[in-house]
Amino acid sequence: MIDSSVVSMQATINDIGFVVRPVVGTSMMPLLDQNTDTVRLIKAPERLQKYDIPLYVRPGGEHVLHRIVKVCDGYYLIRGDNTNYTEIVPFDWVIALADGCSKNGVWHPFDEPEMMEYAIRTVRFWHIRNFIRGVRGGFRRVLSRFIRVFRRNK
């Protein structure tokens, strides 16, 4: 079954060439801020490239906008800029491509040099960011455990 919102979005893209949608969720922060930024979605070409940001629909009907980190045979490896997991997305799940965003009323195409640098840096240094998050999270857990023990022994 195809979600009617997907059909409507694709029909709008086919009619006028694009659709603008607000960003929902935090998985693409800091690039895309929830409820303040919008993205312009266009018809996706047959094959996307590394660093593209497609909109795809998971089998449960959830719409997701994440970045391609690798193009494989028949599928993409996709990850949100603010997530720590990579998802396998078959080519046929992709329904549109984000070609830019509006932040504070200013249009930023994703193919401009600053945006491409950000994309490359985000993908290239993902493992380091993930490691730092893990260390920071581990430190917080140890600190909170120490504080609980200290308070009990007072």
Side-chain angles (χ1 to χ4, degrees):
M1 184 169 107
I2 298 177
D3 185 350
S4 62
S5 64
V6 171
V7 173
S8 171
M9 186 183 316
Q10 288 177 317
T12 303
I13 291 171
N14 289 338
D15 287 347
I16 63 172
F18 69 93
V19 67
V20 176
R21 293 281 192 243
V23 174
V24 178
T26 60
S27 65
M28 287 299 289
M29 285 182 65
L31 176 65
L32 300 173
D33 293 323
Q34 176 173 249
N35 299 322
T36 61
D37 296 344
T38 58
V39 291
R40 183 171 72 179
L41 301 167
I42 61 172
K43 184 175 181 172
E46 187 146 331
R47 292 292 172 261
L48 301 175
Q49 301 174 12
K50 185 175 182 177
Y51 309 122
D52 282 346
I53 302 176
L55 176 72
Y56 60 98
V57 181
R58 289 180 176 146
E62 181 182 12
H63 292 67
V64 182
L65 189 72
H66 283 169
R67 185 179 308 281
I68 295 175
V69 296
K70 186 174 182 182
V71 179
C72 300
D73 188 24
Y75 63 93
Y76 304 108
L77 294 180
I78 295 183
R79 180 184 317 126
D81 290 353
N82 192 35
T83 63
N84 60 0
Y85 62 91
T86 303
E87 187 171 5
I88 296 172
V89 175
F91 290 160
D92 62 349
W93 288 11
V94 175
I95 60 169
L97 173 67
D99 74 338
C101 67
S102 177
K103 297 181 77 55
N104 302 317
V106 178
W107 174 250
H108 299 279
F110 289 147
D111 60 357
E112 71 183 8
E114 296 84 13
M115 289 295 212
M116 286 306 299
E117 285 176 28
Y118 169 81
I120 292 167
R121 204 173 47 245
T122 298
V123 171
R124 185 172 291 158
F125 297 114
W126 173 77
H127 294 291
I128 295 169
R129 262 190 0 263
N130 211 25
F131 174 76
I132 291 169
R133 278 185 190 156
V135 168
R136 195 172 30 187
F139 178 74
R140 285 183 188 142
R141 283 189 296 276
V142 168
L143 183 62
S144 67
R145 200 170 292 143
F146 175 77
I147 290 171
R148 277 195 309 258
V149 169
F150 181 76
R151 285 182 180 160
R152 268 189 261 164
N153 292 333
K154 257 185 150 181

PDB file of all heavy atoms in Angstrom, residues 58-86:
ATOM      1  N   ARG A  58      10.316   4.293   4.728  1.00  0.00           N
ATOM      2  CA  ARG A  58      10.554   2.956   5.278  1.00  0.00           C
ATOM      3  C   ARG A  58       9.308   2.103   5.078  1.00  0.00           C
ATOM      4  O   ARG A  58       8.206   2.634   4.893  1.00  0.00           O
ATOM      5  CB  ARG A  58      10.883   3.070   6.768  1.00  0.00           C
ATOM      6  CG  ARG A  58      12.238   3.681   7.033  1.00  0.00           C
ATOM      7  CD  ARG A  58      12.522   3.771   8.523  1.00  0.00           C
ATOM      8  NE  ARG A  58      13.867   4.275   8.754  1.00  0.00           N
ATOM      9  CZ  ARG A  58      14.185   5.046   9.794  1.00  0.00           C
ATOM     10  NH1 ARG A  58      13.274   5.391  10.687  1.00  0.00           N
ATOM     11  NH2 ARG A  58      15.427   5.463   9.949  1.00  0.00           N
ATOM     12  N   PRO A  59       9.439   0.780   5.152  1.00  0.00           N
ATOM     13  CA  PRO A  59       8.276  -0.094   4.935  1.00  0.00           C
ATOM     14  C   PRO A  59       7.090   0.216   5.851  1.00  0.00           C
ATOM     15  O   PRO A  59       5.946   0.025   5.466  1.00  0.00           O
ATOM     16  CB  PRO A  59       8.823  -1.499   5.210  1.00  0.00           C
ATOM     17  CG  PRO A  59      10.276  -1.396   4.888  1.00  0.00           C
ATOM     18  CD  PRO A  59      10.679   0.000   5.289  1.00  0.00           C
ATOM     19  N   GLY A  60       7.336   0.741   7.037  1.00  0.00           N
ATOM     20  CA  GLY A  60       6.251   1.097   7.955  1.00  0.00           C
ATOM     21  C   GLY A  60       5.575   2.417   7.612  1.00  0.00           C
ATOM     22  O   GLY A  60       4.641   2.835   8.284  1.00  0.00           O
ATOM     23  N   GLY A  61       6.051   3.104   6.566  1.00  0.00           N
ATOM     24  CA  GLY A  61       5.434   4.356   6.146  1.00  0.00           C
ATOM     25  C   GLY A  61       6.118   5.615   6.650  1.00  0.00           C
ATOM     26  O   GLY A  61       5.707   6.718   6.311  1.00  0.00           O
ATOM     27  N   GLU A  62       7.165   5.473   7.448  1.00  0.00           N
ATOM     28  CA  GLU A  62       7.866   6.633   8.004  1.00  0.00           C
ATOM     29  C   GLU A  62       8.726   7.316   6.933  1.00  0.00           C
ATOM     30  O   GLU A  62       9.499   6.664   6.244  1.00  0.00           O
ATOM     31  CB  GLU A  62       8.750   6.180   9.172  1.00  0.00           C
ATOM     32  CG  GLU A  62       9.496   7.290   9.840  1.00  0.00           C
ATOM     33  CD  GLU A  62      10.400   6.790  10.969  1.00  0.00           C
ATOM     34  OE1 GLU A  62      10.610   5.564  11.085  1.00  0.00           O
ATOM     35  OE2 GLU A  62      10.897   7.641  11.718  1.00  0.00           O
ATOM     36  N   HIS A  63       8.572   8.629   6.797  1.00  0.00           N
ATOM     37  CA  HIS A  63       9.383   9.415   5.870  1.00  0.00           C
ATOM     38  C   HIS A  63      10.678   9.814   6.573  1.00  0.00           C
ATOM     39  O   HIS A  63      10.641  10.306   7.701  1.00  0.00           O
ATOM     40  CB  HIS A  63       8.651  10.692   5.462  1.00  0.00           C
ATOM     41  CG  HIS A  63       7.449  10.460   4.613  1.00  0.00           C
ATOM     42  ND1 HIS A  63       6.324   9.827   5.079  1.00  0.00           N
ATOM     43  CD2 HIS A  63       7.211  10.769   3.327  1.00  0.00           C
ATOM     44  CE1 HIS A  63       5.439   9.768   4.109  1.00  0.00           C
ATOM     45  NE2 HIS A  63       5.947  10.330   3.030  1.00  0.00           N
ATOM     46  N   VAL A  64      11.812   9.620   5.905  1.00  0.00           N
ATOM     47  CA  VAL A  64      13.116   9.905   6.511  1.00  0.00           C
ATOM     48  C   VAL A  64      13.969  10.686   5.516  1.00  0.00           C
ATOM     49  O   VAL A  64      14.001  10.372   4.331  1.00  0.00           O
ATOM     50  CB  VAL A  64      13.845   8.600   6.905  1.00  0.00           C
ATOM     51  CG1 VAL A  64      15.173   8.897   7.585  1.00  0.00           C
ATOM     52  CG2 VAL A  64      12.973   7.730   7.797  1.00  0.00           C
ATOM     53  N   LEU A  65      14.655  11.690   6.035  1.00  0.00           N
ATOM     54  CA  LEU A  65      15.559  12.510   5.233  1.00  0.00           C
ATOM     55  C   LEU A  65      16.949  12.391   5.854  1.00  0.00           C
ATOM     56  O   LEU A  65      17.212  12.980   6.902  1.00  0.00           O
ATOM     57  CB  LEU A  65      15.080  13.967   5.259  1.00  0.00           C
ATOM     58  CG  LEU A  65      15.753  14.947   4.327  1.00  0.00           C
ATOM     59  CD1 LEU A  65      15.319  14.675   2.895  1.00  0.00           C
ATOM     60  CD2 LEU A  65      15.382  16.370   4.711  1.00  0.00           C
ATOM     61  N   HIS A  66      17.822  11.575   5.230  1.00  0.00           N
ATOM     62  CA  HIS A  66      19.174  11.359   5.730  1.00  0.00           C
ATOM     63  C   HIS A  66      20.163  11.442   4.575  1.00  0.00           C
ATOM     64  O   HIS A  66      19.775  11.451   3.413  1.00  0.00           O
ATOM     65  CB  HIS A  66      19.305   9.993   6.415  1.00  0.00           C
ATOM     66  CG  HIS A  66      18.725   9.954   7.784  1.00  0.00           C
ATOM     67  ND1 HIS A  66      18.550   8.773   8.471  1.00  0.00           N
ATOM     68  CD2 HIS A  66      18.295  10.926   8.613  1.00  0.00           C
ATOM     69  CE1 HIS A  66      18.020   9.027   9.658  1.00  0.00           C
ATOM     70  NE2 HIS A  66      17.857  10.334   9.764  1.00  0.00           N
ATOM     71  N   ARG A  67      21.449  11.467   4.903  1.00  0.00           N
ATOM     72  CA  ARG A  67      22.511  11.639   3.916  1.00  0.00           C
ATOM     73  C   ARG A  67      23.069  10.291   3.434  1.00  0.00           C
ATOM     74  O   ARG A  67      23.262   9.364   4.227  1.00  0.00           O
ATOM     75  CB  ARG A  67      23.652  12.443   4.554  1.00  0.00           C
ATOM     76  CG  ARG A  67      24.766  12.803   3.595  1.00  0.00           C
ATOM     77  CD  ARG A  67      25.847  13.608   4.275  1.00  0.00           C
ATOM     78  NE  ARG A  67      25.369  14.766   4.992  1.00  0.00           N
ATOM     79  CZ  ARG A  67      25.032  15.923   4.433  1.00  0.00           C
ATOM     80  NH1 ARG A  67      25.087  16.063   3.129  1.00  0.00           N
ATOM     81  NH2 ARG A  67      24.634  16.937   5.176  1.00  0.00           N
ATOM     82  N   ILE A  68      23.354  10.197   2.144  1.00  0.00           N
ATOM     83  CA  ILE A  68      23.987   9.004   1.579  1.00  0.00           C
ATOM     84  C   ILE A  68      25.475   9.045   1.916  1.00  0.00           C
ATOM     85  O   ILE A  68      26.153  10.025   1.630  1.00  0.00           O
ATOM     86  CB  ILE A  68      23.801   8.937   0.045  1.00  0.00           C
ATOM     87  CG1 ILE A  68      22.326   8.769  -0.289  1.00  0.00           C
ATOM     88  CG2 ILE A  68      24.631   7.796  -0.550  1.00  0.00           C
ATOM     89  CD1 ILE A  68      22.017   8.812  -1.768  1.00  0.00           C
ATOM     90  N   VAL A  69      25.965   7.977   2.552  1.00  0.00           N
ATOM     91  CA  VAL A  69      27.385   7.904   2.881  1.00  0.00           C
ATOM     92  C   VAL A  69      28.127   6.943   1.959  1.00  0.00           C
ATOM     93  O   VAL A  69      29.346   6.987   1.865  1.00  0.00           O
ATOM     94  CB  VAL A  69      27.620   7.532   4.362  1.00  0.00           C
ATOM     95  CG1 VAL A  69      27.076   8.620   5.267  1.00  0.00           C
ATOM     96  CG2 VAL A  69      27.023   6.185   4.712  1.00  0.00           C
ATOM     97  N   LYS A  70      27.362   6.080   1.254  1.00  0.00           N
ATOM     98  CA  LYS A  70      27.979   5.180   0.283  1.00  0.00           C
ATOM     99  C   LYS A  70      26.910   4.673  -0.674  1.00  0.00           C
ATOM    100  O   LYS A  70      25.800   4.353  -0.257  1.00  0.00           O
ATOM    101  CB  LYS A  70      28.648   3.996   0.987  1.00  0.00           C
ATOM    102  CG  LYS A  70      29.424   3.097   0.052  1.00  0.00           C
ATOM    103  CD  LYS A  70      30.182   2.031   0.810  1.00  0.00           C
ATOM    104  CE  LYS A  70      30.984   1.188  -0.176  1.00  0.00           C
ATOM    105  NZ  LYS A  70      31.687   0.118   0.512  1.00  0.00           N
ATOM    106  N   VAL A  71      27.279   4.598  -1.944  1.00  0.00           N
ATOM    107  CA  VAL A  71      26.389   4.033  -2.964  1.00  0.00           C
ATOM    108  C   VAL A  71      26.874   2.618  -3.264  1.00  0.00           C
ATOM    109  O   VAL A  71      28.039   2.413  -3.590  1.00  0.00           O
ATOM    110  CB  VAL A  71      26.400   4.889  -4.251  1.00  0.00           C
ATOM    111  CG1 VAL A  71      25.496   4.275  -5.308  1.00  0.00           C
ATOM    112  CG2 VAL A  71      25.984   6.325  -3.952  1.00  0.00           C
ATOM    113  N   CYS A  72      25.973   1.652  -3.121  1.00  0.00           N
ATOM    114  CA  CYS A  72      26.312   0.251  -3.359  1.00  0.00           C
ATOM    115  C   CYS A  72      25.472  -0.281  -4.523  1.00  0.00           C
ATOM    116  O   CYS A  72      24.701   0.458  -5.123  1.00  0.00           O
ATOM    117  CB  CYS A  72      26.049  -0.563  -2.090  1.00  0.00           C
ATOM    118  SG  CYS A  72      27.011   0.004  -0.676  1.00  0.00           S
ATOM    119  N   ASP A  73      25.609  -1.553  -4.809  1.00  0.00           N
ATOM    120  CA  ASP A  73      24.871  -2.164  -5.907  1.00  0.00           C
ATOM    121  C   ASP A  73      23.443  -2.477  -5.450  1.00  0.00           C
ATOM    122  O   ASP A  73      23.225  -3.435  -4.720  1.00  0.00           O
ATOM    123  CB  ASP A  73      25.584  -3.444  -6.354  1.00  0.00           C
ATOM    124  CG  ASP A  73      24.985  -4.032  -7.612  1.00  0.00           C
ATOM    125  OD1 ASP A  73      24.360  -3.279  -8.388  1.00  0.00           O
ATOM    126  OD2 ASP A  73      25.132  -5.251  -7.809  1.00  0.00           O
ATOM    127  N   GLY A  74      22.485  -1.644  -5.831  1.00  0.00           N
ATOM    128  CA  GLY A  74      21.086  -1.873  -5.482  1.00  0.00           C
ATOM    129  C   GLY A  74      20.603  -1.172  -4.233  1.00  0.00           C
ATOM    130  O   GLY A  74      19.412  -1.205  -3.928  1.00  0.00           O
ATOM    131  N   TYR A  75      21.502  -0.555  -3.493  1.00  0.00           N
ATOM    132  CA  TYR A  75      21.087   0.129  -2.264  1.00  0.00           C
ATOM    133  C   TYR A  75      22.090   1.226  -1.895  1.00  0.00           C
ATOM    134  O   TYR A  75      23.190   1.300  -2.430  1.00  0.00           O
ATOM    135  CB  TYR A  75      20.942  -0.859  -1.106  1.00  0.00           C
ATOM    136  CG  TYR A  75      22.227  -1.552  -0.712  1.00  0.00           C
ATOM    137  CD1 TYR A  75      23.034  -1.038   0.293  1.00  0.00           C
ATOM    138  CD2 TYR A  75      22.632  -2.730  -1.337  1.00  0.00           C
ATOM    139  CE1 TYR A  75      24.221  -1.665   0.661  1.00  0.00           C
ATOM    140  CE2 TYR A  75      23.802  -3.360  -0.978  1.00  0.00           C
ATOM    141  CZ  TYR A  75      24.589  -2.834   0.022  1.00  0.00           C
ATOM    142  OH  TYR A  75      25.757  -3.444   0.376  1.00  0.00           O
ATOM    143  N   TYR A  76      21.651   2.070  -0.977  1.00  0.00           N
ATOM    144  CA  TYR A  76      22.501   3.129  -0.426  1.00  0.00           C
ATOM    145  C   TYR A  76      22.749   2.836   1.044  1.00  0.00           C
ATOM    146  O   TYR A  76      21.895   2.250   1.717  1.00  0.00           O
ATOM    147  CB  TYR A  76      21.813   4.500  -0.502  1.00  0.00           C
ATOM    148  CG  TYR A  76      21.376   4.902  -1.879  1.00  0.00           C
ATOM    149  CD1 TYR A  76      20.030   4.915  -2.227  1.00  0.00           C
ATOM    150  CD2 TYR A  76      22.305   5.293  -2.835  1.00  0.00           C
ATOM    151  CE1 TYR A  76      19.623   5.304  -3.490  1.00  0.00           C
ATOM    152  CE2 TYR A  76      21.902   5.674  -4.105  1.00  0.00           C
ATOM    153  CZ  TYR A  76      20.563   5.680  -4.426  1.00  0.00           C
ATOM    154  OH  TYR A  76      20.163   6.066  -5.674  1.00  0.00           O
ATOM    155  N   LEU A  77      23.902   3.260   1.554  1.00  0.00           N
ATOM    156  CA  LEU A  77      24.127   3.311   2.994  1.00  0.00           C
ATOM    157  C   LEU A  77      23.855   4.761   3.375  1.00  0.00           C
ATOM    158  O   LEU A  77      24.452   5.682   2.817  1.00  0.00           O
ATOM    159  CB  LEU A  77      25.551   2.906   3.354  1.00  0.00           C
ATOM    160  CG  LEU A  77      25.909   1.459   3.065  1.00  0.00           C
ATOM    161  CD1 LEU A  77      27.357   1.176   3.475  1.00  0.00           C
ATOM    162  CD2 LEU A  77      24.970   0.504   3.778  1.00  0.00           C
ATOM    163  N   ILE A  78      22.919   4.943   4.289  1.00  0.00           N
ATOM    164  CA  ILE A  78      22.418   6.276   4.619  1.00  0.00           C
ATOM    165  C   ILE A  78      22.495   6.477   6.124  1.00  0.00           C
ATOM    166  O   ILE A  78      22.239   5.562   6.907  1.00  0.00           O
ATOM    167  CB  ILE A  78      20.970   6.435   4.114  1.00  0.00           C
ATOM    168  CG1 ILE A  78      20.961   6.381   2.588  1.00  0.00           C
ATOM    169  CG2 ILE A  78      20.336   7.703   4.622  1.00  0.00           C
ATOM    170  CD1 ILE A  78      19.617   6.602   1.948  1.00  0.00           C
ATOM    171  N   ARG A  79      22.822   7.714   6.516  1.00  0.00           N
ATOM    172  CA  ARG A  79      22.949   8.035   7.935  1.00  0.00           C
ATOM    173  C   ARG A  79      22.531   9.489   8.152  1.00  0.00           C
ATOM    174  O   ARG A  79      22.861  10.364   7.359  1.00  0.00           O
ATOM    175  CB  ARG A  79      24.406   7.851   8.355  1.00  0.00           C
ATOM    176  CG  ARG A  79      24.706   8.145   9.783  1.00  0.00           C
ATOM    177  CD  ARG A  79      26.191   8.043  10.117  1.00  0.00           C
ATOM    178  NE  ARG A  79      26.871   6.914   9.534  1.00  0.00           N
ATOM    179  CZ  ARG A  79      27.971   7.005   8.790  1.00  0.00           C
ATOM    180  NH1 ARG A  79      28.516   8.167   8.522  1.00  0.00           N
ATOM    181  NH2 ARG A  79      28.546   5.931   8.302  1.00  0.00           N
ATOM    182  N   GLY A  80      21.842   9.750   9.242  1.00  0.00           N
ATOM    183  CA  GLY A  80      21.550  11.123   9.637  1.00  0.00           C
ATOM    184  C   GLY A  80      22.818  11.763  10.167  1.00  0.00           C
ATOM    185  O   GLY A  80      23.655  11.091  10.774  1.00  0.00           O
ATOM    186  N   ASP A  81      22.981  13.073   9.942  1.00  0.00           N
ATOM    187  CA  ASP A  81      24.194  13.760  10.406  1.00  0.00           C
ATOM    188  C   ASP A  81      24.338  13.710  11.925  1.00  0.00           C
ATOM    189  O   ASP A  81      25.431  13.818  12.456  1.00  0.00           O
ATOM    190  CB  ASP A  81      24.178  15.227   9.962  1.00  0.00           C
ATOM    191  CG  ASP A  81      24.354  15.382   8.464  1.00  0.00           C
ATOM    192  OD1 ASP A  81      24.615  14.378   7.775  1.00  0.00           O
ATOM    193  OD2 ASP A  81      24.227  16.522   7.976  1.00  0.00           O
ATOM    194  N   ASN A  82      23.228  13.547  12.638  1.00  0.00           N
ATOM    195  CA  ASN A  82      23.237  13.567  14.092  1.00  0.00           C
ATOM    196  C   ASN A  82      22.884  12.192  14.679  1.00  0.00           C
ATOM    197  O   ASN A  82      22.377  12.102  15.778  1.00  0.00           O
ATOM    198  CB  ASN A  82      22.247  14.636  14.585  1.00  0.00           C
ATOM    199  CG  ASN A  82      22.381  14.938  16.049  1.00  0.00           C
ATOM    200  OD1 ASN A  82      23.474  14.913  16.603  1.00  0.00           O
ATOM    201  ND2 ASN A  82      21.268  15.208  16.705  1.00  0.00           N
ATOM    202  N   THR A  83      23.135  11.133  13.924  1.00  0.00           N
ATOM    203  CA  THR A  83      22.831   9.789  14.419  1.00  0.00           C
ATOM    204  C   THR A  83      24.097   8.949  14.456  1.00  0.00           C
ATOM    205  O   THR A  83      25.104   9.310  13.875  1.00  0.00           O
ATOM    206  CB  THR A  83      21.794   9.077  13.517  1.00  0.00           C
ATOM    207  OG1 THR A  83      22.349   8.907  12.215  1.00  0.00           O
ATOM    208  CG2 THR A  83      20.495   9.842  13.441  1.00  0.00           C
ATOM    209  N   ASN A  84      24.009   7.818  15.138  1.00  0.00           N
ATOM    210  CA  ASN A  84      25.180   6.955  15.241  1.00  0.00           C
ATOM    211  C   ASN A  84      24.959   5.586  14.605  1.00  0.00           C
ATOM    212  O   ASN A  84      25.597   4.627  14.965  1.00  0.00           O
ATOM    213  CB  ASN A  84      25.611   6.810  16.707  1.00  0.00           C
ATOM    214  CG  ASN A  84      24.522   6.212  17.558  1.00  0.00           C
ATOM    215  OD1 ASN A  84      23.444   5.904  17.072  1.00  0.00           O
ATOM    216  ND2 ASN A  84      24.781   6.052  18.833  1.00  0.00           N
ATOM    217  N   TYR A  85      24.029   5.506  13.659  1.00  0.00           N
ATOM    218  CA  TYR A  85      23.803   4.245  12.974  1.00  0.00           C
ATOM    219  C   TYR A  85      23.650   4.486  11.472  1.00  0.00           C
ATOM    220  O   TYR A  85      23.268   5.566  11.041  1.00  0.00           O
ATOM    221  CB  TYR A  85      22.558   3.529  13.516  1.00  0.00           C
ATOM    222  CG  TYR A  85      21.289   4.310  13.319  1.00  0.00           C
ATOM    223  CD1 TYR A  85      20.515   4.146  12.172  1.00  0.00           C
ATOM    224  CD2 TYR A  85      20.870   5.240  14.259  1.00  0.00           C
ATOM    225  CE1 TYR A  85      19.370   4.889  11.980  1.00  0.00           C
ATOM    226  CE2 TYR A  85      19.720   5.987  14.070  1.00  0.00           C
ATOM    227  CZ  TYR A  85      18.973   5.800  12.927  1.00  0.00           C
ATOM    228  OH  TYR A  85      17.839   6.542  12.727  1.00  0.00           O
ATOM    229  N   THR A  86      23.973   3.461  10.698  1.00  0.00           N
ATOM    230  CA  THR A  86      23.866   3.519   9.245  1.00  0.00           C
ATOM    231  C   THR A  86      22.758   2.561   8.817  1.00  0.00           C
ATOM    232  O   THR A  86      22.637   1.469   9.364  1.00  0.00           O
ATOM    233  CB  THR A  86      25.204   3.104   8.600  1.00  0.00           C
ATOM    234  OG1 THR A  86      26.231   3.972   9.097  1.00  0.00           O
ATOM    235  CG2 THR A  86      25.149   3.208   7.094  1.00  0.00           C
TER     236      THR A  86
END
